[in-house]
Amino acid sequence: MSFSAKRVLLSSRAPRCWWWRQEPSCAAAGPAWSSLGGSRPRPILDMSYSRHFLDFQGSSIPSSMKKLVVTKLSQNFREAVTLRQDSPVPLPGDGDLLVRNRFVGINASDINYSAGRYDTSVKPPFDIGFEGVGDVVALGLSASADCTVGQAVAYVKAGSFAEYTVVPAKQAVPLPSVKPEFLTLMVSGTTAYISLKELGELSEGKKVLVTAAAGGTGQFAVQLAKKAKCHVIGTCSSDEKGGFLKSIGCDHTINHKTENVESVLRRDYPEGVDVVYESVGGKMFDLAVNSLATKGCLILIGFITGYQNPTGLQPIKAELLPGKLLKKSASIRGFFLNHYFSEYKMALKHLLKMYERGELVCEVDLGDMSPEGKFTGLESVFRAVDYMYMGKNIGKIVVELPHSVNSKL
Ligand SMILES: NC(=O)c1ccc[n+]([C@@H]2O[C@H](COP(=O)([O-])OP(=O)(O)OC[C@H]3O[C@@H](n4cnc5c(N)ncnc54)[C@H](OP(=O)(O)O)[C@@H]3O)[C@@H](O)[C@H]2O)c1
């Protein structure tokens, strides 16, 4: 497969969503119910009085839909999640949009979510899927002040693995069109942008190691570090991924399946690396710590090698850490997007601008090269999660949800 050929450019009782609370964008940002002091205003399109109603172009919005629901807590996605065929299409409230999802993003943490690791107090059944891109097909009265039916939007909110999702207008980002590339920026892009900006202290000539560099978030860490004029080293598991990394500017790629990453780093960077964007964990984490330069910093983004374990963890040589860090005045800093809401809007704006100007590759993997082909429909979310955990993806894994038959959108 040639990645350049496939590149496009280049509520139910869901647990609280953890990585978004943004200022209004598509939003009406109207007063909350309680502050109106009265009864609930009636949404513009009130689905409650009718089994079916028409959207703005006459396409029918059904009363029921397919969605994925976590029915059992497990890090095994297939065991945890059930495809429900006949869930009611949710009603948008006064400040809400009803979004018909067209593309939904797969994240490594979907299995942490299905295992209940985000909010241990919530019990199944609950909705799953962190992010989506789609069209607004209905909306509440307050939401209509700034948003219209037919608007393309992206959002980060739990419950995107569904044909329709209710999204508070405040959390929706208006888009020029419905494209999967926009989805790559919502979680993966902003994670790289904010963490490197806030914690990376990048400057010209610094050596930056990115692990899982060809993946959803890794691809952005590579490109953003290059934009800061750093020397970028990326790990990956195939020559094809290495080729992709070269194409986005990565200076040095290391195939962790065929090369000893630590030896290569010791040989080629005897002084060590200044910054590590680390999302793999286990042995990769240990060798990355060993490879830090004096005053180097490892940004801890994740530890995917542990997520499939019952504990969610992967052993590391923790007892050696204090000595290793002290000897080099080095540091490890954790980063969790959820804690950086205040930076989110600015980061997304910058990334969208870079993409519009053609300065950023937003690689999407729609599964065309996966054994059973393109990820189409909610049924294929299971395959898409497997594909990620086989380490096969190049760029962000995205599942396309086909249009409903009657849609004229
Ligand atoms: N802290 C935050 O706020 C935040 C936000 C988003 C994502 N993340 C983290 O970033 C990491 C990447 O997430 P993503 O959604 O963007 O996934 P991704 O990078 O698109 O896909 C995962 C990649 O990890 C690599 N990998 C290494 N060991 C693996 C293993 N044992 N099983 C499966 N894959 C393995 C594979 O690439 P190669 O083996 O080819 O390198 C695979 O393609 C995860 O640790 C995730 O938790 C953190």
Side-chain angles (χ1 to χ4, degrees):
M1 173 194 69
S2 141
F3 51 80
S4 54
K6 76 181 178 62
R7 178 177 308 153
V8 181
L9 178 154
L10 17 154
S11 148
S12 80
R13 292 151 55 220
R16 266 184 310 126
C17 183
W18 54 282
W19 43 27
W20 180 284
R21 194 143 311 162
Q22 192 191 292
E23 288 170 45
S25 49
C26 185
W33 302 117
S34 53
S35 64
L36 287 168
S39 59
R40 271 171 85 88
R42 191 164 167 247
I44 270 191
L45 291 176
D46 183 350
M47 296 168 69
S48 59
Y49 61 80
S50 168
R51 237 182 98 70
H52 292 84
F53 69 94
L54 297 179
D55 74 14
F56 79 118
Q57 285 181 340
S59 66
S60 171
I61 298 174
S63 57
S64 65
M65 65 171 189
K66 290 183 189 174
K67 76 168 173 177
L68 296 186
V69 176
V70 176
T71 46
K72 175 189 166 191
L73 294 181
S74 172
Q75 70 284 355
N76 179 329
F77 194 83
R78 285 179 183 274
E79 272 179 31
V81 176
T82 304
L83 175 62
R84 293 242 165 107
Q85 302 279 352
D86 217 12
S87 293
V89 171
L91 301 177
D94 178 58
D96 296 332
L97 313 174
L98 181 65
V99 177
R100 174 151 57 207
N101 293 312
R102 297 272 302 280
F103 297 99
V104 294
I106 303 295
N107 286 280
S109 266
D110 287 327
I111 73 168
N112 287 325
Y113 204 70
S114 69
R117 290 175 186 147
Y118 276 91
D119 182 348
T120 47
S121 67
V122 179
K123 303 291 169 238
F126 56 82
D127 298 347
I128 185 160
F130 289 134
E131 52 186 347
V133 163
D135 311 289
V136 175
V137 292
L139 72 175
L141 185 57
S142 295
S144 70
D146 289 291
C147 203
T148 54
V149 167
Q151 171 77 55
V153 292
Y155 64 89
V156 179
K157 181 188 175 270
S160 68
F161 292 163
E163 290 179 313
Y164 296 86
T165 302
V166 165
V167 179
K170 286 179 193 159
Q171 291 175 220
V173 178
L175 298 174
S177 60
V178 170
K179 277 172 47 171
E181 285 70 20
F182 293 120
L183 203 47
T184 68
L185 302 176
M186 299 301 291
V187 171
S188 308
T190 52
T191 294
Y193 187 101
I194 301 170
S195 63
L196 289 174
K197 179 169 175 285
E198 296 296 312
L199 311 178
E201 296 176 20
L202 301 185
S203 59
E204 188 164 356
K206 279 199 174 176
K207 295 177 190 72
V208 178
L209 171 67
V210 180
T211 62
T217 188
Q219 63 172 327
F220 294 107
V222 169
Q223 294 179 76
L224 294 170
K226 279 309 293 176
K227 297 228 176 299
K229 298 188 165 64
C230 297
H231 177 92
V232 182
I233 308 138
T235 70
C236 62
S237 59
S238 71
D239 293 343
E240 192 191 355
K241 290 191 181 195
F244 165 65
L245 287 173
K246 288 275 181 213
S247 79
I248 58 169
C250 190
D251 298 288
H252 186 167
T253 63
I254 308 176
N255 181 335
H256 66 80
K257 295 265 190 211
T258 56
E259 297 175 86
N260 181 320
V261 180
E262 190 163 6
S263 308
V264 173
L265 290 171
R266 205 178 304 122
R267 181 193 69 207
D268 295 346
Y269 307 95
E271 310 268 284
V273 296
D274 302 294
V275 179
V276 184
Y277 187 85
E278 212 302 270
S279 62
V280 170
K283 288 183 179 136
M284 189 70 89
F285 171 88
D286 283 331
L287 76 84
V289 169
N290 295 343
S291 307
L292 281 171
T294 300
K295 296 189 184 169
C297 176
L298 183 148
I299 305 173
L300 179 52
I301 296 294
F303 35 92
I304 190 169
T305 48
Y307 299 166
Q308 288 179 303
N309 299 338
T311 56
L313 301 169
Q314 182 76 343
I316 53 159
K317 295 191 171 147
E319 72 280 8
L320 302 177
L321 262 184
K324 287 181 183 176
L325 296 179
L326 187 62
K327 241 164 107 181
K328 295 181 190 167
S329 296
S331 59
I332 297 175
R333 297 197 60 183
F335 175 87
F336 193 31
L337 185 56
N338 197 36
H339 299 139
Y340 287 85
F341 293 135
S342 55
E343 306 299 315
Y344 188 91
K345 197 176 178 184
M346 170 279 303
L348 190 59
K349 203 169 133 194
H350 277 226
L351 289 167
L352 284 166
K353 222 171 242 164
M354 286 169 76
Y355 174 63
E356 276 163 23
R357 290 193 196 123
E359 295 168 7
L360 196 65
V361 173
C362 297
E363 184 70 11
V364 171
D365 193 332
L366 282 159
D368 304 76
M369 297 301 147
S370 70
E372 290 168 62
K374 193 170 173 180
F375 302 131
T376 306
L378 287 168
E379 300 81 355
S380 67
V381 168
F382 298 94
R383 280 201 296 122
V385 171
D386 290 345
Y387 188 67
M388 173 180 281
Y389 276 86
M390 288 187 292
K392 297 292 185 201
N393 59 302
I394 296 183
K396 171 94 187 175
I397 302 183
V398 172
V399 171
E400 182 168 8
L401 305 188
H403 268 228
S404 65
V405 185
N406 295 327
S407 175
K408 293 180 186 165
L409 279 171

